[in-house]
Coordinates of all heavy atoms in Angstrom, one line a residue:
N1 N -24.3 -122.0 20.9 CA -25.1 -121.0 20.1 C -26.1 -121.8 19.3 O -25.7 -122.5 18.4 CB -24.2 -120.1 19.3 CG -25.0 -119.1 18.5 OD1 -25.7 -119.4 17.6 ND2 -24.9 -117.8 18.9
Q2 N -27.4 -121.6 19.5 CA -28.4 -122.5 18.9 C -28.4 -122.3 17.3 O -28.4 -123.3 16.6 CB -29.8 -122.2 19.4 CG -30.8 -123.1 18.8 CD -32.1 -123.0 19.6 OE1 -32.2 -122.5 20.7 NE2 -33.2 -123.6 19.0
N3 N -28.3 -121.1 16.9 CA -28.3 -120.9 15.4 C -27.1 -121.5 14.7 O -27.3 -122.2 13.7 CB -28.3 -119.4 15.1 CG -29.7 -118.7 15.4 OD1 -30.7 -119.4 15.3 ND2 -29.7 -117.5 15.7
M4 N -26.0 -121.4 15.3 CA -24.8 -121.9 14.7 C -24.8 -123.5 14.8 O -24.4 -124.2 13.8 CB -23.5 -121.4 15.4 CG -23.3 -119.9 15.1 SD -21.8 -119.2 15.9 CE -20.6 -119.9 14.9
L5 N -25.3 -124.0 15.9 CA -25.4 -125.4 16.1 C -26.3 -126.0 15.1 O -26.1 -127.1 14.5 CB -25.8 -125.8 17.5 CG -25.5 -127.1 18.0 CD1 -24.0 -127.4 18.0 CD2 -26.0 -127.3 19.5
L6 N -27.5 -125.3 14.8 CA -28.4 -125.8 13.8 C -27.8 -125.8 12.4 O -28.0 -126.7 11.6 CB -29.7 -124.9 13.8 CG -30.8 -125.2 14.8 CD1 -31.8 -124.1 14.9 CD2 -31.4 -126.6 14.5
R7 N -27.0 -124.8 12.1 CA -26.4 -124.7 10.8 C -25.4 -125.9 10.6 O -25.3 -126.4 9.5 CB -25.6 -123.4 10.6 CG -26.5 -122.1 10.7 CD -27.7 -122.2 9.9 NE -27.5 -122.6 8.5 CZ -28.2 -123.5 7.9 NH1 -29.3 -124.1 8.5 NH2 -28.0 -123.8 6.6
I8 N -24.7 -126.2 11.6 CA -23.7 -127.3 11.5 C -24.5 -128.6 11.2 O -24.2 -129.3 10.3 CB -22.9 -127.5 12.9 CG1 -22.0 -126.3 13.1 CG2 -22.1 -128.8 12.8 CD1 -21.4 -126.2 14.5
F9 N -25.5 -128.9 12.1 CA -26.3 -130.2 11.9 C -27.0 -130.2 10.5 O -27.1 -131.2 9.8 CB -27.3 -130.4 13.0 CG -26.6 -130.6 14.4 CD1 -27.2 -130.2 15.6 CD2 -25.3 -131.1 14.4 CE1 -26.6 -130.4 16.8 CE2 -24.7 -131.3 15.7 CZ -25.3 -131.0 16.8
D10 N -27.7 -129.0 10.2 CA -28.4 -128.9 8.9 C -27.5 -129.2 7.8 O -27.8 -129.9 6.8 CB -29.0 -127.5 8.8 CG -30.3 -127.4 9.5 OD1 -30.7 -128.3 10.2 OD2 -30.9 -126.3 9.4
N11 N -26.3 -128.6 7.8 CA -25.4 -128.8 6.7 C -24.9 -130.2 6.5 O -24.8 -130.8 5.4 CB -24.1 -127.9 6.9 CG -23.2 -128.0 5.7 OD1 -23.6 -127.6 4.6 ND2 -22.0 -128.4 5.9
L12 N -24.6 -130.9 7.6 CA -24.2 -132.3 7.6 C -25.3 -133.2 7.1 O -25.0 -134.1 6.3 CB -23.6 -132.7 9.0 CG -22.4 -132.0 9.4 CD1 -22.0 -132.5 10.9 CD2 -21.2 -132.2 8.5
I13 N -26.5 -133.0 7.6 CA -27.6 -133.8 7.2 C -28.0 -133.6 5.7 O -28.3 -134.5 5.0 CB -28.8 -133.6 8.1 CG1 -28.5 -134.0 9.5 CG2 -30.1 -134.3 7.6 CD1 -29.6 -133.6 10.5
S14 N -27.9 -132.3 5.3 CA -28.3 -132.0 3.9 C -27.2 -132.6 2.9 O -27.5 -133.0 1.8 CB -28.4 -130.5 3.7 OG -27.2 -129.8 3.9
N15 N -25.9 -132.5 3.4 CA -24.9 -133.1 2.5 C -25.0 -134.6 2.4 O -24.8 -135.2 1.3 CB -23.5 -132.8 3.1 CG -22.9 -131.5 2.6 OD1 -22.5 -131.4 1.5 ND2 -22.9 -130.5 3.5
A16 N -25.4 -135.3 3.5 CA -25.6 -136.7 3.4 C -26.8 -137.0 2.5 O -26.8 -138.0 1.8 CB -25.9 -137.3 4.8
L17 N -27.8 -136.2 2.5 CA -29.0 -136.4 1.7 C -28.6 -136.3 0.2 O -29.0 -137.1 -0.6 CB -30.1 -135.3 2.0 CG -31.3 -135.3 1.1 CD1 -32.1 -136.6 1.2 CD2 -32.1 -134.1 1.4
K18 N -27.8 -135.3 -0.1 CA -27.5 -135.0 -1.5 C -26.4 -135.9 -2.1 O -26.4 -136.2 -3.3 CB -27.1 -133.5 -1.7 CG -27.0 -133.1 -3.2 CD -27.0 -131.6 -3.3 CE -27.2 -131.2 -4.7 NZ -27.3 -129.7 -4.9
H19 N -25.4 -136.2 -1.2 CA -24.3 -137.0 -1.7 C -24.1 -138.4 -1.2 O -23.1 -139.0 -1.4 CB -23.0 -136.2 -1.4 CG -23.0 -134.7 -1.9 ND1 -22.8 -134.4 -3.2 CD2 -23.3 -133.6 -1.3 CE1 -22.9 -133.1 -3.4 NE2 -23.2 -132.6 -2.2
G20 N -25.2 -138.9 -0.5 CA -25.1 -140.2 0.0 C -26.2 -141.1 -0.5 O -27.1 -140.7 -1.3
E21 N -26.1 -142.3 -0.1 CA -27.1 -143.3 -0.5 C -27.6 -144.1 0.8 O -26.9 -144.2 1.7 CB -26.5 -144.3 -1.5 CG -26.0 -143.7 -2.8 CD -25.3 -144.7 -3.7 OE1 -25.1 -145.9 -3.2 OE2 -24.8 -144.3 -4.8
G22 N -28.8 -144.6 0.7 CA -29.3 -145.4 1.8 C -29.6 -144.5 3.0 O -29.7 -143.3 2.9
D23 N -29.8 -145.1 4.1 CA -30.2 -144.4 5.3 C -29.0 -143.6 6.0 O -27.9 -144.0 5.8 CB -30.8 -145.3 6.4 CG -32.1 -146.0 5.9 OD1 -32.7 -145.4 5.0 OD2 -32.4 -147.0 6.5
L24 N -29.3 -142.6 6.6 CA -28.3 -141.8 7.4 C -28.5 -142.2 8.9 O -29.6 -142.1 9.4 CB -28.5 -140.3 7.2 CG -27.7 -139.4 8.2 CD1 -26.2 -139.6 7.9 CD2 -28.1 -138.0 8.1
T25 N -27.4 -142.6 9.5 CA -27.5 -142.9 10.9 C -26.8 -141.8 11.7 O -25.6 -141.5 11.5 CB -26.8 -144.3 11.2 OG1 -27.4 -145.3 10.5 CG2 -26.8 -144.6 12.7
V26 N -27.5 -141.2 12.7 CA -26.9 -140.2 13.5 C -26.9 -140.7 15.0 O -27.9 -141.1 15.5 CB -27.8 -138.9 13.5 CG1 -27.2 -137.8 14.4 CG2 -28.0 -138.4 12.1
T27 N -25.6 -140.8 15.5 CA -25.4 -141.4 16.8 C -24.8 -140.4 17.8 O -23.9 -139.7 17.4 CB -24.5 -142.6 16.7 OG1 -25.0 -143.5 15.7 CG2 -24.4 -143.3 18.1
V28 N -25.4 -140.3 19.0 CA -24.9 -139.4 20.0 C -24.3 -140.3 21.1 O -25.0 -141.2 21.7 CB -26.0 -138.5 20.6 CG1 -25.4 -137.6 21.7 CG2 -26.6 -137.7 19.4
Q29 N -23.0 -140.0 21.4 CA -22.3 -140.7 22.5 C -21.8 -139.7 23.5 O -21.3 -138.7 23.2 CB -21.2 -141.6 21.9 CG -21.6 -142.5 20.8 CD -20.4 -143.1 20.1 OE1 -19.3 -142.5 20.1 NE2 -20.6 -144.2 19.3
N30 N -21.9 -140.1 24.8 CA -21.4 -139.2 25.9 C -20.5 -140.0 26.8 O -20.9 -140.8 27.6 CB -22.5 -138.7 26.7 CG -22.1 -137.7 27.8 OD1 -20.9 -137.3 27.8 ND2 -22.9 -137.2 28.6
T31 N -19.2 -139.9 26.5 CA -18.1 -140.6 27.3 C -17.1 -139.6 27.8 O -15.9 -139.8 27.5 CB -17.5 -141.7 26.4 OG1 -16.9 -141.0 25.2 CG2 -18.4 -142.7 25.9
G32 N -17.6 -138.6 28.5 CA -16.7 -137.6 29.0 C -16.7 -136.4 28.0 O -16.6 -135.3 28.3
Q33 N -16.7 -136.8 26.7 CA -16.9 -135.9 25.6 C -18.2 -136.2 24.8 O -18.6 -137.4 24.8 CB -15.8 -135.8 24.6 CG -14.5 -135.1 25.2 CD -13.4 -135.1 24.1 OE1 -13.2 -136.0 23.4 NE2 -12.8 -133.9 24.0
I34 N -18.9 -135.2 24.3 CA -20.1 -135.5 23.5 C -19.7 -135.7 22.1 O -19.1 -134.8 21.4 CB -21.1 -134.3 23.6 CG1 -21.5 -134.2 25.1 CG2 -22.3 -134.6 22.7 CD1 -22.4 -133.0 25.3
R35 N -20.0 -136.8 21.5 CA -19.6 -137.2 20.2 C -20.8 -137.5 19.3 O -21.6 -138.4 19.6 CB -18.7 -138.4 20.2 CG -18.1 -139.0 18.9 CD -17.3 -140.2 19.2 NE -16.9 -140.9 18.0 CZ -15.7 -140.8 17.5 NH1 -14.8 -140.0 18.0 NH2 -15.4 -141.5 16.4
I36 N -21.0 -136.7 18.2 CA -22.1 -136.9 17.3 C -21.5 -137.5 16.0 O -20.7 -136.8 15.4 CB -22.9 -135.6 17.1 CG1 -23.2 -135.0 18.4 CG2 -24.1 -135.9 16.3 CD1 -22.5 -133.7 18.7
V37 N -22.0 -138.7 15.6 CA -21.5 -139.3 14.4 C -22.6 -139.4 13.3 O -23.7 -139.8 13.6 CB -21.0 -140.7 14.7 CG1 -20.4 -141.4 13.5 CG2 -19.9 -140.7 15.8
F38 N -22.2 -138.9 12.2 CA -23.1 -138.9 11.0 C -22.5 -140.0 10.0 O -21.4 -139.8 9.5 CB -23.3 -137.6 10.3 CG -23.8 -136.5 11.2 CD1 -23.0 -135.9 12.2 CD2 -25.1 -136.1 11.1 CE1 -23.5 -134.9 13.0 CE2 -25.7 -135.1 11.9 CZ -24.8 -134.5 12.9
E39 N -23.3 -141.0 9.8 CA -22.7 -142.1 8.9 C -23.7 -142.5 7.8 O -24.9 -142.7 8.1 CB -22.4 -143.3 9.8 CG -21.9 -144.5 9.1 CD -21.6 -145.7 10.0 OE1 -20.9 -145.5 11.0 OE2 -22.0 -146.8 9.7
N40 N -23.2 -142.6 6.6 CA -24.0 -143.1 5.5 C -23.1 -143.6 4.4 O -21.8 -143.5 4.5 CB -24.9 -142.0 5.0 CG -24.2 -140.9 4.3 OD1 -23.3 -140.3 4.8 ND2 -24.5 -140.7 3.0
I41 N -23.6 -144.2 3.4 CA -22.9 -144.6 2.2 C -22.7 -143.5 1.3 O -23.7 -142.8 0.9 CB -23.6 -145.8 1.5 CG1 -23.9 -146.9 2.4 CG2 -22.8 -146.3 0.3 CD1 -22.6 -147.5 3.0
L42 N -21.5 -143.2 0.9 CA -21.2 -142.1 0.0 C -21.3 -142.4 -1.4 O -20.8 -143.5 -1.9 CB -19.7 -141.6 0.3 CG -19.3 -140.2 -0.2 CD1 -20.2 -139.1 0.4 CD2 -17.9 -139.9 0.0
S43 N -21.9 -141.6 -2.2 CA -22.1 -141.8 -3.7 C -20.9 -141.2 -4.5 O -20.8 -141.4 -5.7 CB -23.4 -141.3 -4.1 OG -23.5 -139.9 -3.9
T44 N -20.1 -140.4 -3.8 CA -19.0 -139.7 -4.5 C -17.7 -140.5 -4.4 O -17.2 -140.7 -3.4 CB -18.7 -138.3 -4.0 OG1 -19.9 -137.6 -4.0 CG2 -17.7 -137.6 -4.8

């Protein structure tokens, strides 16, 4: 569902913006399962 998928990604990216430091790295991997990793330095 596009709207729900956008809300998931938006929320994770905005949380990283507000509560993280430095760059945010978003990685997509496809190894039988689709894995999306959001990684950054946490300020909390």
Side-chain angles (χ1 to χ4, degrees):
N1 180 289
Q2 183 165 348
N3 287 331
M4 295 180 73
L5 202 58
L6 275 171
R7 298 313 309 134
I8 294 168
F9 295 153
D10 279 2
N11 185 60
L12 295 176
I13 294 173
S14 65
N15 270 289
L17 173 66
K18 190 162 191 178
H19 305 282
E21 300 175 357
D23 296 341
L24 169 67
T25 301
V26 181
T27 306
V28 178
Q29 304 166 343
N30 185 8
T31 57
Q33 285 186 317
I34 299 172
R35 179 184 173 97
I36 309 106
V37 181
F38 299 79
E39 179 180 313
N40 69 304
I41 303 299
L42 192 64
S43 58
T44 305

